[in-house]
Amino acid sequence: MNRRKTLTAMAMSCLLAAGSIAPARAPYPADPLHSPMWTAHAQTIFGDDPVRFDPRVKVSYPEIAENQRSFPVALDARGLDAGLGPVRRMLILADLNPIPIAIDYRPDGAEPYVATRIKLDQRTPVRGAVQLANGQWLVSGGWVDAAGGGCSAPPVSRVKGDWAQHLGEMRGEAWPMADGASRLRVTFRHPMDTGFVANIPTYHIEQMRVTGPDGRLLGEMEIWAAVAEDPAITLMPRAHPGDTLSIAARDTNGRAYLAKVTVARQSPLPATTGATGR
């Protein structure tokens, strides 16, 4: 996805929702959440691709946001029938956020699972959308109560003034899973500025790639400023105990983040995993 084109499309969707331009009708299913932004976001994200709601796409999160600056969400499509084919893309989004999309993930050599923490600017539907190899999108999600302001409040590190001292620090761990995959958790020290705080421009990590010991791509994603400060991201790449995974990321200022994580040589974790980005 081209980031500039996506930002332009998101801006156009706001105009469409406001009635400034008559939107073209598309055969999207009726939204069970009755979100005022469903059609606008569907046009921007799905275009002419077929879309349906499917509860087998599991979106896990607390029902109430205790901290609107850091709200855990997991998107799990491992329960889909094998006959549907592989998952090509996975999106986590919040309809009523000023930056709706948080993560756009392509699990090339990984299980279709991603977890992180996002910001919430108000009460909003939080959704997961997965695209199959045939182009079809499956969507699920629900409403979350939030006090608001998660996207417009300054990061804690900005308030403390120590963000530059820790910028670029990374931590990662990986454990084997019982089903032959591994569980990788990567954290970054980064303010993830949204651009909605006075005198603080947009500044966030925008890309991340994970490759295996043979250089094979296991997963890549685009990351938006809707992801919480000091991002924590959990994936399930197909890797074995002793394999070394390479993580490469880049932020909007062009700063590179590089790290290697070795999958622990230990008894495998259960195949089912708790669904948060904590």
Side-chain angles (χ1 to χ4, degrees):
M1 180 185 295
N2 182 283
R3 299 180 65 85
R4 183 170 295 177
K5 288 183 179 178
T6 302
L7 287 171
T8 302
M10 285 293 182
M12 289 298 294
S13 72
C14 293
L15 291 175
L16 292 174
S20 299
I21 301 175
R25 296 186 62 84
Y28 305 119
D31 180 18
L33 303 181
H34 306 290
S35 167
M37 291 301 296
W38 163 245
T39 300
H41 288 334
Q43 289 173 343
T44 300
I45 297 169
F46 310 130
D48 295 328
D49 295 335
V51 183
R52 64 184 172 91
F53 293 96
D54 193 321
R56 292 174 297 178
V57 174
K58 301 297 183 184
V59 189
S60 302
Y61 49 80
E63 293 183 1
I64 298 175
E66 295 182 0
N67 181 356
Q68 65 269 26
R69 299 185 186 195
S70 185
F71 181 75
V73 182
L75 174 56
D76 188 352
R78 292 175 295 166
L80 296 177
D81 294 338
L84 293 174
V87 170
R88 188 165 67 186
R89 287 174 64 192
M90 307 180 71
L91 274 68
I92 294 176
L93 63 149
D95 283 27
L96 303 183
N97 269 2
I99 304 171
I101 296 177
I103 280 181
D104 183 348
Y105 175 47
R106 295 166 178 79
D108 301 270
E111 295 297 313
Y113 177 95
V114 58
T116 191
R117 299 187 294 244
I118 66 174
K119 307 180 183 89
L120 295 178
D121 213 47
Q122 59 181 299
R123 181 176 184 266
T124 179
V126 172
R127 305 185 196 261
V130 303
Q131 186 180 35
L132 305 177
N134 63 7
Q136 179 180 200
W137 287 91
L138 308 180
V139 183
S140 186
W143 281 91
V144 173
D145 283 329
C151 295
S152 54
V156 173
S157 60
R158 292 280 188 184
V159 175
K160 293 174 61 178
D162 65 348
W163 69 272
Q165 300 172 29
H166 300 285
L167 181 67
E169 294 177 4
M170 295 176 63
R171 295 184 63 185
E173 293 181 90
W175 307 268
M177 303 286 291
D179 55 4
S182 62
R183 183 172 184 263
L184 170 67
R185 187 174 188 270
V186 181
T187 61
F188 301 84
R189 293 297 302 270
H190 201 285
M192 299 297 288
D193 296 311
T194 61
F196 298 123
V197 179
N199 301 316
I200 302 177
T202 301
Y203 180 42
H204 60 90
I205 295 173
E206 63 177 353
Q207 292 183 352
M208 188 179 88
R209 292 167 55 92
V210 179
T211 54
D214 56 357
R216 182 172 62 93
L217 180 64
L218 299 178
E220 61 181 339
M221 67 176 63
E222 292 189 354
I223 303 171
W224 301 78
V227 171
E229 177 185 9
D230 297 337
I233 297 172
T234 300
L235 309 176
M236 292 185 180
R238 298 185 188 106
H240 306 289
D243 285 353
T244 297
L245 306 176
S246 298
I247 298 98
R250 188 186 69 198
D251 68 23
T252 51
N253 280 3
R255 185 185 181 111
Y257 302 79
L258 303 171
K260 292 184 181 294
V261 177
T262 299
V263 181
R265 298 182 183 274
Q266 65 177 48
S267 299
L269 296 172
T272 56
T273 302
T276 69
R278 294 185 178 129

